[in-house]
């Protein structure tokens, strides 16, 4: 037989082996990711529109009629809210807004251990109602998005879903490229096709258009994940690439050096405070303690903290964590749409002294990138247009999961998983193996599951078939 014919046959066989291997890994990634991707897409889209949704469903508590009369002081409004709560309820957080149409919101820790928001009319002081923080719709949607409301197990599952999405995208692009060049349907689906071929074109072309957005969503979401994200935070901190190293001048943080009696609050960090959200870059920074005062020392009013924040350029849309002990401080957390405006202030509860002031310029380079990624991921950075783009990408990914399911359903054998047959010849695919190995090193939990899939594929699922 002619050598060229033999070489050509070998080349075709190797190409088929490559395709079969990639298809098999794409199948396994999709099998795991598909249901979780739908949950992520729906919850992510809803959470993206939180600023519009909450005032609609909680209008009786969140929205007030603007008045010409001046607003009551924040301290008076806090007292009105406290008077409506059980005697042992502890105020933990004040949400500060200057919108004339929004009520004032204060969060209390109840004796039962739950948290409850109290909404007060800022013009009359009338209590408009309460809302459980834990059962608030957007809180539950966020918990579904981050961990299926299953605690640590759910967080790990969602983290793995993000990592396996990268495998699904990589293998999907590798499957699409050669066939699209050979048969058309490269950038637009061929609508004249019928049956499974039509679904395949829709799935492949749609996936290509969504690939960049999907990769961005995964990479910008993983720093907030429960396992890898926390490890990455620690690494960024130790390498001084993420967080400011700490208060009181350890990094480029504008902080007052503690006087005698001032100290950090027993290892408490920003992530430990009862705040809805804090900037990623300050989560592990320590919370300083107030200077020691005698039992007769008076706490400065909430309005003084608001005035101090305004003097530092923080005027609207932020939270204040209230001191709960004699050693506590007021903490102002500003998490706006523009990351460059992020700000964290710690204020002595007795003297009103500014103990720590952390701004965007104090972050490490990695933390600055993540701040921008977070703002874009949440649909906040460029307003409604950002929300719409995020929704289109999210719902598009959900559609990809549905089309993938339809394709599997149409080709599945009876009483079998329906995974693509494993090729008899093992393709070299050194670049792909190296890429998967690197992915497993960067995301160790992902690496472990890839090993499990590989072993299961060899020992459990299917037999080798000739390519």
């Amino acid at each position: 037989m002619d050598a060229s014919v033999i070489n050509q046959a070998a080349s075709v066989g190797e190409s088929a082996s490559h395709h079969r291997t990639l298809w098999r890994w794409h199948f396994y990634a999709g099998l795991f990711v598909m249901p979780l991707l739908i949950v992520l897409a729906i919850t992510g889209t809803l959470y993206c529109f939180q600023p519009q949704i909450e005032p609609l469903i909680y209008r009786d508590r969140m929205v007030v009629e603007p008045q010409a009369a001046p607003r009551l002081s924040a301290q008076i409004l806090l007292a009105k809210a406290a008077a409506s709560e059980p005697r042992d309820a502890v105020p933990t957080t004040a949400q500060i807004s200057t919108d004339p149409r929004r009520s004032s919101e204060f969060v209390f820790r109840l004796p039962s251990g739950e948290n409850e928001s109290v909404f007060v009319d800022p013009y009359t002081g009338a209590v408009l109602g309460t809302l459980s923080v834990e059962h608030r719709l957007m809180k539950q949607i966020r918990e579904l998005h981050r961990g299926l409301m299953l605690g640590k197990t759910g967080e790990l599952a969602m983290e793995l879903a993000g990592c396996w999405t990268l495998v699904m995208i990589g293998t999907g692009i590798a499957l699409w490229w050669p066939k699209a060049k050979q048969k058309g349907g490269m950038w637009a689906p061929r609508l004249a096709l019928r049956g499974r071929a039509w679904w395949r074109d829709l799935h492949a072309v749609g996936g290509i258009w969504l690939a960049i957005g999907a990769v961005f969503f995964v990479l910008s979401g993983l720093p907030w994940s429960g396992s890898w994200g926390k490890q990455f935070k620690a690494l960024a901190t130790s390498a001084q690439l993420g967080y400011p190293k700490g208060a009181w001048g350890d990094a480029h943080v504008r902080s007052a050096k503690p006087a005698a009696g001032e100290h950090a609050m027993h290892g408490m960090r920003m992530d430990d405070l009862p705040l809805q959200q804090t900037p990623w870059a300050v989560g592990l920074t320590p919370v300083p303690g107030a200077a020691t005062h005698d039992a007769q020392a008076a706490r400065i009013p909430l309005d003084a903290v608001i005035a101090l924040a305004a003097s530092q350029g923080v005027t609207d849309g932020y939270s204040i964590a209230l001191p709960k002990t004699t050693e506590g401080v007021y903490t102002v957390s500003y998490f706006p749409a523009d990351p460059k405006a992020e700000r964290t202030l710690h204020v002595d509860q007795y003297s009103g002294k500014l103990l720590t002031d952390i701004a965007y310029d104090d972050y490490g380079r990695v933390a600055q990138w993540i701040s921008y990624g977070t703002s874009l991921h949440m649909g906040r950075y460029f307003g409604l247009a950002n929300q719409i783009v995020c929704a289109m990408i999210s719902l598009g990914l959900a559609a990809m999961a549905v089309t993938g399911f339809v394709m599997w359903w149409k080709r599945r054998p009876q009483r079998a998983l329906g995974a693509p047959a494993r090729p008899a010849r093992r393709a070299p695919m050194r670049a792909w193996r190296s890429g998967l190995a690197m992915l497993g090193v960067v995301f160790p939990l992902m690496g472990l599951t890839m090993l499990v899939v590989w072993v299961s594929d060899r020992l459990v699922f299917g037999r080798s078939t000739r390519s």
Side-chain angles (χ1 to χ4, degrees):
M1 183 178 292
D2 191 283
S4 63
V5 175
I6 296 175
N7 291 338
Q8 184 178 4
S11 177
V12 171
E14 184 173 319
S15 177
S17 180
H18 277 219
H19 177 83
R20 187 72 64 174
T21 301
L22 289 169
W23 185 13
R24 199 167 174 86
W25 276 94
H26 188 73
F27 173 84
Y28 287 137
L31 188 69
F32 170 65
V33 167
M34 184 170 59
L36 299 180
L37 194 60
I38 293 175
V39 174
L40 283 168
I42 294 173
T43 56
T45 299
L46 289 173
Y47 194 74
C48 186
F49 287 93
Q50 178 183 9
Q52 291 90 345
I53 293 175
E54 282 203 324
L56 287 177
I57 60 178
Y58 304 124
R59 184 177 181 83
D60 58 330
R61 281 157 280 190
M62 289 187 168
V63 180
V64 298
E65 190 68 29
Q67 297 184 22
R71 299 162 68 99
L72 298 175
S73 74
Q75 194 65 39
I76 290 177
L77 294 172
L78 175 58
K80 296 280 188 182
S84 69
E85 289 292 276
R87 184 174 182 179
D88 294 332
V90 178
T92 60
T93 313
Q95 308 294 340
I96 308 302
S97 173
T98 58
D99 188 338
R101 298 165 296 176
R102 296 297 292 269
S103 61
S104 297
E105 179 183 356
F106 302 94
V107 181
F108 289 80
R109 182 78 169 176
L110 302 179
S112 64
E114 292 192 353
N115 295 285
E116 183 173 74
S117 289
V118 179
F119 299 91
V120 183
D121 189 313
Y123 303 103
T124 66
V127 174
L128 303 176
T130 62
L131 189 61
S132 168
V133 171
E134 285 77 14
H135 297 97
R136 194 164 173 162
L137 177 61
M138 284 300 159
K139 172 70 171 180
Q140 293 185 314
I141 287 175
R142 186 185 181 199
E143 292 303 311
L144 272 171
H145 188 76
R146 295 188 65 181
L148 301 171
M149 299 182 73
L150 296 176
K152 190 68 175 178
T153 300
E155 289 181 0
L156 292 176
M158 286 307 205
E159 180 178 317
L160 282 173
C163 293
W164 276 97
T165 297
L166 298 177
V167 175
M168 188 173 63
I169 293 169
T171 53
I173 293 174
L175 289 169
W176 159 84
W177 177 254
K179 284 187 173 293
K181 288 197 302 180
Q182 296 168 9
K183 300 181 179 180
M186 192 167 190
W187 302 110
R190 294 165 291 179
L191 301 180
L193 296 175
R194 293 291 180 269
R196 185 173 178 273
W198 183 86
W199 287 100
R200 185 182 61 230
D201 247 36
L202 190 65
H203 181 84
V205 175
I208 286 299
W209 282 103
L210 292 168
I212 294 177
V215 170
F216 171 78
F217 268 2
V218 171
L219 296 181
S220 58
L222 281 173
W224 294 89
S225 61
S227 176
W228 184 87
K230 288 183 178 179
Q231 296 172 18
F232 181 66
K233 286 180 183 180
L235 175 63
T237 302
S238 62
Q240 299 185 33
L241 296 174
Y243 296 86
K245 184 163 184 180
W248 307 318
D250 286 343
H252 301 294
V253 180
R254 294 182 296 278
S255 312
K257 188 174 179 63
E262 292 181 358
H263 52 282
M265 291 182 60
H266 308 295
M268 179 175 285
R269 299 180 182 275
M270 280 290 294
D271 282 342
D272 301 323
L273 295 178
L275 295 163
Q276 289 185 1
Q277 288 181 324
T278 57
W280 187 91
V282 299
L284 291 182
T285 56
V287 177
T292 303
H293 286 260
D294 58 47
Q296 305 301 318
R299 176 183 295 180
I300 63 171
L302 184 58
D303 299 274
V305 181
I306 295 173
L308 175 61
S311 71
Q312 299 297 313
V314 181
T315 58
D316 186 29
Y318 61 93
S319 302
I320 301 178
L322 309 176
K324 292 185 292 184
T325 68
T326 57
E327 297 177 352
V329 296
Y330 287 101
T331 296
V332 174
S333 181
Y334 186 38
F335 191 36
D338 184 358
K340 285 190 174 181
E342 289 180 3
R343 204 72 170 274
T344 301
L345 311 174
H346 296 298
V347 182
D348 188 290
Q349 66 168 309
Y350 303 110
S351 66
K353 177 184 178 182
L354 183 60
L355 300 176
T356 309
D357 177 3
I358 306 175
Y360 173 86
D361 290 339
D362 302 315
Y363 300 169
R365 184 63 64 187
V366 170
Q368 291 180 342
W369 294 339
I370 290 175
S371 293
Y372 270 98
T374 298
S375 189
L376 289 165
H377 183 107
M378 296 176 66
R380 292 152 39 103
Y381 186 60
F382 49 94
L384 181 61
N386 197 164
Q387 292 175 305
I388 292 173
V389 169
C390 287
M392 290 175 63
I393 295 174
S394 293
L395 298 179
L397 290 173
M400 291 302 98
V402 172
T403 55
F405 174 80
V406 172
M407 290 166 59
W408 168 78
W409 186 262
K410 285 181 173 293
R411 65 172 290 276
R412 81 197 193 289
Q414 292 295 327
R415 298 184 180 87
L417 181 63
R422 188 185 325 118
R425 177 188 298 178
R426 178 181 176 182
M429 303 182 70
R430 295 182 182 86
W432 280 101
R433 295 178 194 280
S434 299
L436 289 175
M438 289 178 61
L439 195 64
V441 170
V442 175
F443 304 106
L445 188 62
M446 169 67 176
L448 178 61
T449 58
M450 283 195 295
L451 182 61
V452 170
V453 169
W454 183 81
V455 172
S456 300
D457 179 58
R458 292 283 167 180
L459 302 180
V460 181
F461 298 124
R463 295 178 179 177
S464 297
T465 57
R466 293 187 182 276
S467 298

